[in-house]
Amino acid sequence: MQPTRIVTGHDAEGRADFALQTPLEHGAFEHHPGFVANLLWRTGPQPTIPTRPSDPVVAVESVIPQPGGTIAMMVSFPPDSVMSAPHFDPAAAGMEFAQRLPGLAESFDPDGSGYHRTDTMDYGVVLEGEIWLDLDDGRVRHLKAGDVVVQLGTRHAWRNRSEHPARMFFVLIGAVRG
């Protein structure tokens, strides 16, 4: 199944119309087999509704939104065993991650543990598979399709301990720490 992003807008007479339609196929990472990240949409701190929208994720400088801004993205996490395969190159994967997901890559702990923390409030929905949300000091939750996580700027890592990919939909909202 090839997912599609459909964006609505308005035609010249002001009627609702389909403005953009693109397949979600460009997000597969070369150096992290099975990892896929599709940026779906982005808004600034004060979103406006355009008459004819253009694609705001074509040239994203950071996937971490400014306070009040948003990023919507779909991510597929391969099984963790991919990273222990002999052909896996963590340095190349890290460089690709930094290039493809700017801003987010810089939020990761430098030890390669996968832990990261952003100044965002995130809504995450498990669409397919299962995944483990790993917080500080061994606090872990096993999540399955249909589960929802509200992530409030905490340090965390995603682990796929299964043998199948897990796919999640995220909305990140830029926030200020209180």
Side-chain angles (χ1 to χ4, degrees):
M1 176 180 91
Q2 179 63 53
T4 302
R5 177 188 66 162
I6 298 168
V7 179
T8 64
H10 296 91
D11 66 15
E13 287 79 42
R15 295 177 302 211
D17 195 11
F18 296 104
L20 300 171
Q21 180 170 325
T22 56
L24 299 180
E25 59 188 23
H26 60 282
F29 279 49
E30 178 184 351
H31 297 288
H32 194 158
F35 186 83
V36 179
N38 288 114
L39 299 181
L40 305 173
W41 201 253
R42 179 174 207 240
T43 65
Q46 298 199 347
T48 58
I49 299 173
T51 302
R52 294 299 298 173
S54 60
D55 193 341
V57 296
V58 171
V60 170
E61 293 178 18
S62 176
V63 297
I64 305 301
Q66 298 173 13
T70 67
I71 287 275
M73 60 191 304
M74 194 150 10
V75 179
S76 291
F77 297 91
D80 287 352
S81 59
V82 166
M83 292 181 287
S84 60
H87 63 279
F88 182 73
D89 181 349
M95 288 175 42
E96 181 179 29
F97 196 87
Q99 179 204 18
R100 302 269 308 271
L101 297 174
L104 182 59
E106 293 81 356
S107 71
F108 278 76
D109 290 1
D111 62 4
S113 64
Y115 282 104
H116 58 288
R117 180 178 177 176
T118 59
D119 289 341
T120 60
M121 297 192 307
D122 308 341
Y123 305 135
V125 181
V126 182
L127 301 174
E128 296 174 7
E130 55 187 321
I131 197 156
W132 286 254
L133 175 57
D134 189 351
L135 302 179
D136 287 330
D137 298 326
R139 294 176 178 102
V140 178
R141 286 291 184 273
H142 177 210
L143 306 169
K144 299 175 288 311
D147 288 341
V148 177
V149 173
V150 178
Q151 184 80 25
L152 300 178
T154 55
R155 181 175 175 263
H156 66 284
W158 297 102
R159 314 282 186 209
N160 183 348
R161 298 177 179 155
S162 77
E163 292 304 314
H164 305 285
R167 191 159 62 123
M168 293 187 70
F169 172 74
F170 292 97
V171 174
L172 285 66
I173 304 167
V176 176
R177 292 192 180 274

